[in-house]
Amino acid sequence: MTIGLQRLLAARGATLPVTDAGEAAVRAPRVGNRALFGGLALLTALVVVLDFRTGEDLRLVPLLVVVPALVSVFGTIRQTVGVSTLIMMVVVGSHLATDGTFWEITTGIVVTVLACCLGIGACVLRIRHATEIARLRSAAVALQRQILRPLPILTDQVLAHGIYTPIEEDRLVGGDIYEVVQSPYGTRVIIGDVQGKGLAAIGAGFAVLGAFREAAIREPALTGVVDALEDAVARHNVFSAQTGETERFVTALVLGFDGSDRAQAVNCGHLPPRLLHDGAAGAVPLRRTFVPLGMAELSCEPRAAEWLDFPPGGTLLLCTDGVTEARDASGAFYPLDARLGRWAERAPYEVLEALDADLDSFSGGVRRDDIAALALRRAAADDLGRPSDGGHGARRAAEAFSGR
């Protein structure tokens, strides 16, 4: 699977270094050589003294053969080889210094050499396995980053800044998604979170992104876009069931902007947006929250769009639950609304920078979930130094979809 992901990344023009930060961390020593070998010298000296005091009735030095096995659990290959060599010299020397029979001495030496070799072999296998896991993890995260567009994104209606921090642990890699699409009907934005973790969650997220990029340009109504996303998740779940994977749902917030002081929103079980304006910050009250994508058959109520305020100079903050469910050392959740009030006067990218730094400080650098956040502000003509194209590119794309 690692090779397949690497080939896909190569096809998309992405590069994956042979030895990245994850692999370097796997190969890095967890205990310094000075501490390791200093502790080993003290332990060996203690055991030798005790062995000398107990005499021939109780031999303690041969028990040192378990040390290489212990070091193989946390040490590097070089450290394990060094420890095994020292232990082998001490234990073999101890056997040779005894008055035992030839077969007793020979058996003791063979057992010592075998135990040290097994410790080295166990260390090699552990590091090899951990390296493969690190490569798979890096490939998954790199693929996730390649599918999601880089930020910021400028359209005719909005300027979208954002942060995206995937957790680089194979069993916790999530399916946080976002996208901003210019269409003939305005700008469409989605932020979502796939239920569950792992590569299967990423696959469901990609299915939603592909459907959104197409439907956002094709569908005149925002509810039509959401219906297309529902169909995409349902089809993906059918395929997942056929291949033995778990069916998943996706929480999502879909927004539509037409350049006015208001925006449309359809909330499919996601966190409500936050509005920062005139020195105040708070959650935007959405009257209706619908079931997540992939669960429409469980509800009799069709999804509908509602309007929310998007005043000039205001910033809409959209985020996934990796933000609100971040915890500190005591287990308390991150107080998002309380913290946003401190940054209500800042520019969107400054809000995101402050949020990212504050989350890292609050959680002590321990991230348990992906973090995705978008800060949206109405676009100005001089944003990013690029003038608006009046939506001509979006109209050409819509004509291509309609076959004209």
Side-chain angles (χ1 to χ4, degrees):
M1 185 176 292
T2 303
I3 296 175
L5 286 173
Q6 290 174 333
R7 288 177 178 173
L8 180 55
L9 288 170
R12 293 183 57 87
T15 59
L16 188 64
V18 175
T19 303
D20 63 1
E23 293 184 49
V26 168
R27 299 175 185 276
R30 301 180 187 179
V31 178
N33 289 334
R34 180 175 298 179
L36 177 63
F37 288 98
L40 176 63
L42 291 176
L43 175 63
T44 302
L46 177 62
V47 171
V48 170
V49 170
L50 291 176
D51 184 84
F52 177 78
R53 294 178 64 88
T54 58
E56 294 292 334
D57 295 333
L58 180 63
R59 299 299 312 283
L60 298 179
V61 171
L63 298 179
L64 289 173
V65 296
V66 303
V67 174
L70 296 176
V71 175
S72 70
V73 174
F74 61 85
T76 64
I77 296 177
R78 287 187 178 183
Q79 288 177 332
T80 305
V81 170
V83 169
S84 298
T85 301
L86 292 177
I87 294 298
M88 198 180 307
M89 292 172 58
V90 172
V91 177
V92 169
S94 171
H95 283 297
L96 293 176
T98 64
D99 297 329
T101 65
F102 172 79
W103 290 111
E104 290 176 342
I105 296 175
T106 302
T107 301
I109 293 175
V110 170
V111 170
T112 300
V113 173
L114 181 61
C116 292
C117 290
L118 288 176
I120 296 172
C123 182
V124 171
L125 293 177
R126 176 183 65 83
I127 291 180
R128 181 179 299 173
H129 176 71
T131 301
E132 288 299 317
I133 293 296
R135 288 176 178 172
L136 176 60
R137 182 185 309 154
S138 299
V141 172
L143 179 60
Q144 201 172 13
R145 288 184 181 276
Q146 286 297 309
I147 297 297
L148 297 173
R149 295 175 66 189
L151 295 159
I153 300 172
L154 175 66
T155 69
D156 293 344
Q157 288 77 31
V158 299
L159 173 61
H161 291 274
I163 55 174
Y164 173 63
T165 308
I167 184 168
E168 299 191 7
E169 185 172 343
D170 54 321
R171 65 183 180 87
L172 293 179
V173 171
D176 284 10
I177 56 173
Y178 66 82
E179 185 56 285
V180 181
V181 174
Q182 176 74 67
S183 81
Y185 316 104
T187 298
R188 269 74 186 271
V189 177
I190 185 175
I191 188 166
D193 189 0
V194 181
Q195 173 257 336
K197 306 293 180 185
L199 293 176
I202 296 177
F206 292 169
V208 174
L209 282 178
F212 178 78
R213 288 165 179 162
E214 177 182 345
I217 295 175
R218 184 189 66 229
E219 297 293 337
L222 194 64
T223 51
V225 176
V226 176
D227 291 340
L229 301 182
E230 173 67 32
D231 292 341
V233 176
R235 289 193 300 269
H236 182 81
N237 281 337
V238 169
F239 177 77
S240 296
Q242 293 173 350
T243 56
E245 293 286 348
T246 303
E247 298 181 21
R248 300 176 185 273
F249 62 82
V250 182
T251 65
L253 179 65
V254 184
L255 301 174
F257 302 88
D258 59 7
S260 68
D261 293 350
R262 305 182 74 195
Q264 275 191 309
V266 180
N267 189 357
C268 303
H270 200 71
L271 298 172
R274 269 66 177 179
L275 178 63
L276 291 76
H277 183 59
D278 284 341
V284 178
L286 297 177
R287 297 185 300 274
R288 306 172 74 181
T289 299
F290 301 93
V291 296
L293 300 172
M295 303 181 67
E297 62 181 12
L298 302 179
S299 174
C300 304
E301 185 181 18
R303 296 186 178 98
E306 58 182 290
W307 292 92
L308 55 86
D309 292 332
F310 189 40
T315 297
L316 277 177
L317 180 72
L318 321 178
C319 63
T320 58
D321 59 9
V323 175
T324 56
E325 295 183 4
R327 299 181 183 234
D328 63 9
S330 67
F333 289 108
Y334 182 71
L336 175 62
D337 293 318
R339 301 299 175 91
L340 286 180
R342 306 176 183 177
W343 314 317
E345 297 287 356
R346 300 189 184 184
Y349 69 91
E350 293 175 334
V351 172
L352 293 171
E353 288 176 352
L355 176 63
D356 191 37
D358 195 48
L359 276 170
D360 192 63
S361 175
F362 180 83
S363 62
V366 179
R367 301 287 178 90
R368 296 178 175 85
D369 198 357
D370 292 358
I371 290 176
L374 298 177
L376 310 175
R377 181 167 289 189
R378 291 173 61 174
D382 58 348
D383 275 331
L384 299 182
R386 183 173 70 83
S388 169
D389 67 355
H392 298 309
R395 281 193 286 273
R396 288 196 296 270
E399 292 172 359
F401 274 113
S402 63
R404 289 182 290 172

